[in-house]
Amino acid sequence: MTASAVHQTTGDAGVTLVELIIGMLIGTVVLGVSVLIFANSLQTQATVTSVTQATNEGQIVASTIERAVRNADFIDVSADQRTLQVQTSLGGALTCQGFHLDGDTIRMTLRSTPLGDPALWPAWQDGVAAHGSDPFVARAGRGVVYAFDMTTDATPVLFTGEASLRSISTGQARTCW
């Protein structure tokens, strides 16, 4: 067998160095794009989770305020419009409830005795902020209006609402404040 015959029988059984480099480059680009898509998916999931959690917590705050006001015999809003005090007598038992926006925390207390200093009430919900220049709570006729933001990793979630007293005074004196 001659040298030319050996060359013809082996053929092109492998890849050249150029083909190997191009294949590795394409594989690296595909892997990089995949990693970026995965990272963006994780970031989006974290944002959605943060907004969902803030929405749930804000709904709890709003519904608790509304329920307290609807069942109130008396309500009082502080001059700085950061504190709401509520007195109810559901079932004949005196209940005093207070809500106070303190920085990025809402403080809340529930007692059968006078409420005392709002700064000493226990922290209830974190991640709460005043909505721009709007008051946290303000008197409106026989009730209140409220506005606050729940902070998130993305845009804050705004909560606004109003609630009115639906009960007629029981004739009890204001003893909660």
Side-chain angles (χ1 to χ4, degrees), residues 5-132:
V6 172
H7 185 282
Q8 289 176 352
T9 58
T10 60
D12 291 331
V15 293
T16 65
L17 182 59
V18 172
E19 292 171 332
L20 183 62
I21 291 173
I22 290 173
M24 289 177 59
L25 182 62
I26 291 171
T28 303
V29 168
V30 168
L31 182 63
V33 168
S34 299
V35 167
L36 284 174
I37 290 171
F38 181 70
N40 284 339
S41 296
L42 289 178
Q43 184 178 7
T44 300
Q45 180 182 2
T47 300
V48 168
T49 300
S50 172
V51 170
T52 300
Q53 182 177 356
T55 300
N56 290 340
E57 291 172 358
Q59 288 173 341
I60 290 169
V61 171
S63 66
T64 304
I65 290 171
E66 289 178 11
R67 184 175 54 245
V69 171
R70 282 193 311 267
N71 295 320
D73 292 325
F74 301 106
I75 58 174
D76 185 55
V77 174
S78 64
D80 64 4
Q81 297 180 317
R82 294 183 332 145
T83 305
L84 169 64
Q85 298 180 92
V86 178
Q87 177 176 313
T88 63
S89 58
L90 290 175
L94 174 67
T95 303
C96 306
Q97 191 168 10
F99 304 89
H100 176 70
L101 182 61
D102 186 10
D104 68 345
T105 300
I106 288 187
R107 298 182 173 279
M108 195 266 288
T109 190
L110 183 65
R111 303 180 185 173
S112 60
T113 59
L115 296 173
D117 183 3
L120 302 177
W121 299 348
W124 179 41
Q125 293 287 344
D126 292 325
V128 182
H131 179 68

